[in-house]
Amino acid sequence: MTNEEHTLETAAAALNAAQEAVRTARRGLTAAIVNAYRAGEPVPRIADRTGTSVIEIRNLLAATQTSRRG
Protein backbone atom coordinates (compact mmCIF):
# COMPACT_ATOMS: atom_id res chain seq x y z
CA MET A 1 0.00 0.00 0.00
CA THR A 2 1.39 3.38 -0.95
CA ASN A 3 1.54 6.33 1.38
CA GLU A 4 -1.16 8.07 -0.68
CA GLU A 5 -3.53 5.10 -0.28
CA HIS A 6 -2.83 4.99 3.45
CA THR A 7 -3.56 8.71 3.73
CA LEU A 8 -6.86 8.29 1.92
CA GLU A 9 -7.92 5.41 4.17
CA THR A 10 -6.88 7.33 7.27
CA ALA A 11 -8.88 10.37 6.16
CA ALA A 12 -11.93 8.21 5.44
CA ALA A 13 -11.66 6.58 8.88
CA ALA A 14 -11.36 9.99 10.53
CA LEU A 15 -14.45 11.20 8.69
CA ASN A 16 -16.43 8.14 9.76
CA ALA A 17 -15.37 8.66 13.38
CA ALA A 18 -16.33 12.34 13.22
CA GLN A 19 -19.73 11.51 11.74
CA GLU A 20 -20.39 9.03 14.54
CA ALA A 21 -19.37 11.67 17.10
CA VAL A 22 -21.83 14.12 15.54
CA ARG A 23 -24.62 11.53 15.68
CA THR A 24 -23.84 10.86 19.34
CA ALA A 25 -23.77 14.57 20.14
CA ARG A 26 -27.11 15.10 18.36
CA ARG A 27 -28.71 12.30 20.36
CA GLY A 28 -27.39 13.88 23.55
CA LEU A 29 -28.63 17.33 22.60
CA THR A 30 -32.02 15.94 21.64
CA ALA A 31 -32.34 14.19 24.99
CA ALA A 32 -31.33 17.37 26.84
CA ILE A 33 -33.84 19.47 24.90
CA VAL A 34 -36.65 16.99 25.55
CA ASN A 35 -35.78 16.85 29.25
CA ALA A 36 -35.67 20.65 29.54
CA TYR A 37 -39.02 20.99 27.79
CA ARG A 38 -40.65 18.30 29.93
CA ALA A 39 -39.28 20.06 33.01
CA GLY A 40 -41.22 23.15 31.96
CA GLU A 41 -38.55 25.26 30.29
CA PRO A 42 -40.10 27.47 27.58
CA VAL A 43 -39.17 26.76 23.97
CA PRO A 44 -37.71 30.26 23.38
CA ARG A 45 -35.35 29.82 26.35
CA ILE A 46 -34.25 26.37 25.12
CA ALA A 47 -33.60 27.90 21.70
CA ASP A 48 -31.52 30.69 23.23
CA ARG A 49 -29.53 28.26 25.37
CA THR A 50 -28.78 25.96 22.45
CA GLY A 51 -28.11 28.60 19.82
CA THR A 52 -30.95 27.38 17.65
CA SER A 53 -34.26 28.82 16.55
CA VAL A 54 -37.65 28.34 18.14
CA ILE A 55 -38.77 26.63 14.94
CA GLU A 56 -35.90 24.12 15.15
CA ILE A 57 -36.79 23.30 18.76
CA ARG A 58 -40.48 22.93 17.95
CA ASN A 59 -39.64 20.70 14.99
CA LEU A 60 -37.39 18.53 17.14
CA LEU A 61 -40.08 18.22 19.81
CA ALA A 62 -42.67 17.32 17.17
CA ALA A 63 -40.34 14.75 15.59
CA THR A 64 -39.78 13.11 18.97
CA GLN A 65 -43.51 13.37 19.76
CA THR A 66 -42.70 15.18 22.98
CA SER A 67 -45.31 16.70 25.21
CA ARG A 68 -45.00 18.27 28.63
CA ARG A 69 -46.87 15.34 30.10
CA GLY A 70 -43.76 13.21 29.72
Side-chain angles (χ1 to χ4, degrees), residues 14-30:
L15 176 60
N16 289 334
Q19 288 172 329
E20 183 56 36
V22 168
R23 285 189 290 270
T24 299
R26 283 185 180 149
R27 283 191 297 270
L29 179 59
T30 296

Side-chain angles (χ1 to χ4, degrees), residues 21 52 69:
T52 59
R69 290 176 286 218

